[in-house]
Amino acid sequence: MKLTKLTLAAALLGATTLGAQAADLRIALQSDADVLDPDQSRTFVGRIVYTALCDKLVDITPDLEIIPQLATEWSFSEDGKQLTMELRDDVVFHDGTPFDAAAVAANIDRSQNLQESRRKSELSSVTGVEVLGSHVVRLDLTSPDATLMAQLADRAGMMVSPTAATQAGADFGLNPICSGPYKFKERVAQDRIVLEKFEDYYNADDFHFDTVSYLPIPDTTVRLANLQSGDIDMLERLAATDLAQAESDAGIQVASAVSLGYQGITINVANGDKADNPWGKDKRLRQALSLSLDREAINQVVFNGAFAAGNQPFPPTSPWYSKDFPVPARDVEQAKALLAEAGFPDGIDLEVQVPNTTIPLQLMQVVQSMASEAGIRISLVSKEFATLLSDQTAGDYTASQIGWSGRVDPDGNIHQFMTTDAGLNDSKYSNAKVDALLNTARTSNDQQVRKESYNAARAILNDEAPIVYLYHQTWIWALDSAISGFTPYPDGMIRLKGMKKEDG
C-alpha cells in the first residue's frame, strides 16, 4: 500500500515538471473529502478544499476576528433582527455568473430549502432576504442571533453559482462552481482533487500556484515519507508522534495552532433500528464507558502529550468551558457498578465504527484496552471516512469515533449536534430543556446569559452522554522548507493567499 501511494504521488509529480507547470502545490490530506457542495458537505478536509474553491461572505483572522471577504461592510439594526451587508462589485463565479445581492439571496434560499442541505439549522434565524440594491442585501431574523456572523464565515456563508446550482440541483457537488481563487478541474475518488487558478478572481495576483492538488493519504507515516521524498509539498495533521522526526529534518518546516474543536465517541441514541439497544436506551452504559477511560493517559500514549484531555465540546482553554465539569478521573470500579446496575454484571459488547486512518485506529485501540478492564468489550469496524459519515447520517451505527474541527462561536460546536432535528445530530438526541437552553444561548448577545445557558445544558448532557468526549487536538502542519507565506489558523484550514514555493 505504501508503494502504491508513493508511486501515485510520484506520477503526479512527473506530470507537473519543473517547466510550465512548476507552480503546482500538492497537499496531502488525512482522508478524502465528501461531496463538494457547501450545503451538503460535512468533512473537515472538504473545508480545506473550500478555502481555495469557495469564497464566503466573511472570513476570520488567526485571532478569530470576523473580517470581510465577499461582503465589505455589515451592520445590525438596533433590535438585532436585521443584518445589512454591502458586497464586492468585482466578483464573478467560475462560470461567469455575476456575484451580487440576488446571488446571496439565492444561496441563502438554497441553504435553507434544498432537501439535502445540512445548513438549515445554522441559518434557522433567517426568515427572509431582501435585495436592497445590486450589491446590498438585508437578512431578516426572527430574533437576534449571536452566532450568525460566525456561520457566514463558514459553509453557510460560502457562495455558489446560482446558475450552476439551479441546473445541477443535488448533483452540484460533481462539478462545483464557486467564486474562489481556484476553480474545480477534476476529481478521482480516493485519489485526488485538482483545482486550477481562476484568472478572473478579483485578487488573483495574491495566489501564486497554477494548480492545487489535494491527495488523500490516510497513513500518517506515508504522508510524512511523501513529504520527505519531495512527492508532496505539504501535509495537514502531522501525527504528534512524528513531530520530532519532522522537526529534525532540515528540508521540512512545522507549524501549529490550538484547535477549536474536539474528538469523541458519538452514541446512536435514537437514529433508527441500530439505536434500539442498551447503549442507545440506557445512559448508565454511556456513563460507564466515559468512566472507564483515562483521558490524560490517552493523550500521553497516543499523542505524546501534545493535545489536551477533554470532556466537553469546548477545549479547557476556551472561555466557554464549564469548570463545573472538569475532566473526570478514571474510575473502573464505578464503571463496573453502573454496568451491573444496568443489568450487565458480566459486561457488555459495543461496536464502534472508526475512520481507517492511523491516529483514530491507534486511539480506539487504547480506548478498547481501557474499556475492557471495566467489562466493555469494544469491537472496531474500520471505514473510509466518507463512508463512515454516510452510515452515521443514515443511523447505520451503534457508536462512532468522530470529532469536529471547531467553530469561532461556541454555538457551532454544540447546537447542530444536540438540538432536536439539527443538521449534524446523527444520534437523533432530543431533549426539550437542552433545546431551550441552546436556543437561548444562540439568540442572546449577553455573554453571561450565553455562558449560563451553556453550563446548564452541559449539566444535562454530561449526565445523558450522547457524545463521550475524549480530547482536543492541536493542528500540526508540515511543509517543504521552500514554501513561504503559510499562516496557521485555529480552524485548521490552509489559506493559500500569499503562499509561494521558492525555486531550487
Side-chain angles (χ1 to χ4, degrees), residues 120-132:
K120 295 175 183 178
S121 66
E122 297 167 16
L123 295 172
S124 60
S125 65
V126 179
T127 58
V129 182
E130 293 292 331
V131 175
L132 303 181

Side-chain angles (χ1 to χ4, degrees), residues 173-389:
L174 298 175
N175 183 29
I177 296 175
C178 296
S179 66
Y182 291 85
K183 61 183 180 179
F184 180 76
K185 182 178 181 181
E186 67 169 333
R187 179 176 192 175
V188 179
Q190 305 302 320
D191 186 83
R192 65 186 181 272
I193 295 171
V194 182
L195 309 182
E196 59 183 349
K197 188 172 181 179
F198 180 46
E199 296 298 340
D200 291 331
Y201 187 66
Y202 69 88
N203 199 22
D205 290 346
D206 280 343
F207 295 85
H208 304 288
F209 297 99
D210 296 326
T211 57
V212 184
S213 299
Y214 298 92
L215 312 174
I217 305 177
D219 190 298
T220 58
T221 302
V222 175
R223 284 205 302 279
L224 181 56
N226 273 262
L227 180 62
Q228 291 177 312
S229 67
D231 288 341
I232 62 170
D233 301 301
M234 180 178 188
L235 64 85
E236 57 95 13
R237 278 179 287 182
L238 178 74
T241 49
D242 292 333
L243 182 57
Q245 179 182 350
E247 288 180 330
S248 67
D249 190 323
I252 293 175
Q253 56 180 308
V254 174
S256 65
V258 177
S259 81
L260 304 170
Y262 64 83
Q263 288 286 330
I265 301 172
T266 296
I267 311 293
N268 186 354
V269 299
N271 190 355
D273 293 342
K274 284 213 168 179
D276 188 14
N277 64 71
W279 287 98
K281 293 180 176 181
D282 196 331
K283 65 183 181 182
R284 292 172 295 187
L285 300 182
R286 305 190 292 270
Q287 293 169 356
L289 174 61
S290 180
L291 286 168
S292 74
L293 305 177
D294 186 331
R295 290 163 171 82
E296 294 292 351
I298 289 172
N299 180 36
Q300 295 298 325
V301 171
V302 184
F303 307 113
N304 282 0
F307 295 169
N311 67 319
Q312 300 181 31
F314 320 122
T317 53
S318 168
W320 304 101
Y321 182 86
S322 177
K323 295 181 181 178
D324 293 338
F325 300 99
V327 174
R330 189 187 192 207
D331 192 335
V332 173
E333 293 308 311
Q334 179 61 20
K336 289 180 178 178
L338 284 168
L339 292 184
E341 185 181 311
F344 299 93
D346 297 323
I348 186 172
D349 297 332
L350 174 63
E351 180 182 275
V352 182
Q353 63 172 9
V354 58
N356 66 339
T357 53
T358 312
I359 297 302
L361 287 167
Q362 290 175 348
L363 165 71
M364 284 309 302
Q365 286 164 0
V366 174
V367 168
Q368 186 181 46
S369 176
M370 288 181 174
S372 68
E373 295 180 25
I376 300 171
R377 299 177 292 270
I378 294 178
S379 60
L380 302 178
V381 180
S382 177
K383 298 181 180 179
E384 188 276 322
F385 192 59
T387 301
L388 178 145
L389 284 179

Side-chain angles (χ1 to χ4, degrees), residues 33-101:
D34 60 346
V35 58
L36 291 177
D37 179 343
D39 281 329
Q40 298 187 60
S41 64
R42 59 181 295 176
T43 57
F44 173 73
V45 291
R47 289 175 62 226
I48 293 176
V49 176
Y50 288 142
T51 59
L53 181 65
C54 299
D55 273 3
K56 304 164 291 190
L57 289 172
V58 293
D59 200 6
I60 62 170
T61 69
D63 295 324
L64 306 180
E65 297 177 3
I66 303 293
I67 57 172
Q69 194 165 73
L70 292 174
T72 58
E73 297 180 32
W74 54 88
S75 61
F76 282 93
S77 60
E78 278 192 29
D79 63 3
K81 295 171 69 173
Q82 291 183 327
L83 169 64
T84 301
M85 308 189 89
E86 296 186 23
L87 311 172
R88 297 192 69 99
D89 60 5
D90 55 355
V91 175
V92 294
F93 292 100
H94 300 150
D95 61 357
T97 299
F99 168 75
D100 53 19

